[in-house]
Amino acid sequence: MTSSQPLTVPGYAHVYSGKVRDLYAPLDDSGTPRNDQLLLVASDRLSAYDFVLDTPIPDKGAVLTQLSLWWFERLEDLVPNHVVSTDVPDVVAGRAVLVKRLAMLPVECVARAYLTGGGLNEYLADGHVSGIALPEGLVDGSRLPEPVFTPSTKAPMGEHDQPMPYAAVEAEIGAPLASRVRDLTTAILARGNEIAAERGILIADTKVEFGLDGDDVVLADEVLTPDSSRFWPADLWEPGHPQPSYDKQFVREWLTSSASGWDKASGEAPPDLPEDVIAQTRAKYVEAYERLTGRTFS
């Protein structure tokens, strides 16, 4: 999906469009939207620095959807997921799934196995990330002793998520549920790195979303994709500077380079991506999918 207008999906009513995903409710026999399921459609839109870029990345939505489905299978012994069916209308085939409608938790659940990005900035300020004290002497790209839970707020579109101390998570959703999602988030990243390491990829950090199905915690949205995680080639890992990546960090770096001519502090929307950056970004997404799954993307 490359248009700003919602796609018409037969048998479904458009409910909401986020930065890169569109939600539809299935219609019952009377034409009334059901309240127990959603069609989750991954578009080809790409967000960076809290802007949705005007330039889509071809096949991105399909890559994210197929990779998430691959990971869901490998995580289902840790946590149930929201997938009901992959039997979806042809107009969104390959990039949509029918999912349970959940009560989503109001916390961005982030885990870090390596220090970089916003976590690095926090660490350089006072040696902590989300209130967690880390060893001295770490640099950009350092491996952490164990994955740490560094949650953030869920900001409205156009605003930036803010680091959230664990105590604030407990206050928001209660101590038992906070403990559960903390343990699940770090376990998902640890499992992801076990599997990815065999395929020459390091997962530096990841963001996951959870919802409640009654009292049950359910893994939702996407998981361990180039949009929700930082993927690094293991053979090029070298702490002390930013690492090459398989994710949209590639686009972020171009946007903040002199080649783009864009001033991040200006408040203006980023420029369109040039054709070579679009092609290279698509190739990064596809390479991550193929390297992890062992499958050829088509």
Side-chain angles (χ1 to χ4, degrees):
M1 183 184 296
T2 59
S3 170
S4 59
Q5 295 298 316
L7 191 67
T8 298
V9 181
Y12 292 83
H14 178 255
V15 174
Y16 174 78
S17 289
K19 289 180 180 178
V20 297
R21 279 176 181 71
D22 301 293
L23 299 179
Y24 298 79
L27 303 176
D28 63 19
D29 292 341
S30 68
T32 302
R34 292 175 53 170
N35 61 10
D36 61 334
Q37 295 179 349
L38 288 169
L39 185 71
L40 180 66
V41 182
S43 75
D44 291 338
R45 299 189 297 270
L46 187 141
S47 67
Y49 298 114
D50 300 317
F51 287 94
V52 178
L53 305 187
D54 288 338
T55 321
I57 305 299
D59 296 318
K60 173 177 168 285
V63 169
L64 297 185
T65 300
Q66 299 307 312
L67 186 55
S68 287
L69 289 169
W70 186 85
W71 279 116
F72 282 140
E73 292 179 0
R74 285 148 185 83
L75 299 168
E76 59 189 4
D77 63 314
L78 295 178
V79 58
N81 62 70
H82 66 164
V83 176
V84 173
S85 175
T86 56
D87 184 10
V88 299
D90 288 346
V91 70
V92 291
R95 57 192 178 93
V97 288
L98 189 65
V99 302
K100 294 179 184 177
R101 195 163 192 160
L102 305 170
M104 299 303 294
L105 299 183
V107 176
E108 296 280 15
C109 293
V110 179
R112 302 177 188 276
Y114 295 79
L115 188 63
T116 194
L120 174 65
N121 294 336
E122 285 187 69
Y123 172 79
L124 293 176
D126 64 5
H128 293 71
V129 178
S130 292
I132 299 170
L134 297 179
E136 293 183 3
L138 301 181
V139 296
D140 194 350
S142 289
R143 180 186 283 125
L144 301 178
E146 59 184 9
V148 295
F149 182 58
T150 61
S152 65
T153 60
K154 276 191 178 179
M157 192 183 305
E159 298 181 23
H160 196 62
D161 298 338
Q162 297 299 321
M164 195 173 184
Y166 183 68
V169 179
E170 290 183 311
E172 184 76 31
I173 63 176
L177 191 51
S179 175
R180 175 76 172 136
V181 299
R182 176 195 62 197
D183 294 347
L184 282 174
T185 303
T186 55
I188 287 168
L189 180 56
R191 172 70 63 81
N193 264 317
E194 287 174 14
I195 294 170
E198 299 170 353
R199 295 155 170 83
I201 289 178
L202 307 177
I203 306 177
D205 49 38
T206 195
K207 178 182 72 176
V208 294
E209 300 232 21
F210 296 105
L212 294 179
D213 182 15
D215 293 331
D216 296 330
V217 176
V218 178
L219 179 60
D221 199 44
E222 62 182 320
V223 62
L224 297 172
T225 71
D227 264 20
S228 66
S229 318
R230 285 186 176 91
F231 292 164
W232 296 340
D235 58 345
L236 298 178
W237 175 56
E238 184 182 64
H241 57 80
Q243 309 299 308
S245 70
Y246 287 107
D247 52 59
K248 63 180 180 180
Q249 188 67 25
F250 180 80
V251 171
R252 292 191 188 102
E253 289 170 0
W254 180 83
L255 286 173
T256 54
S257 73
S258 59
S260 76
W262 180 60
D263 178 6
K264 180 183 170 185
S266 69
E268 296 179 359
D272 289 350
L273 301 177
E275 289 298 325
D276 63 320
V277 172
I278 294 170
Q280 290 175 66
T281 303
R282 179 192 180 277
K284 287 284 186 183
Y285 276 83
V286 171
E287 183 181 354
Y289 171 85
E290 293 184 340
R291 194 159 178 179
L292 282 167
T293 67
R295 301 169 181 169
T296 299
F297 178 79
S298 59

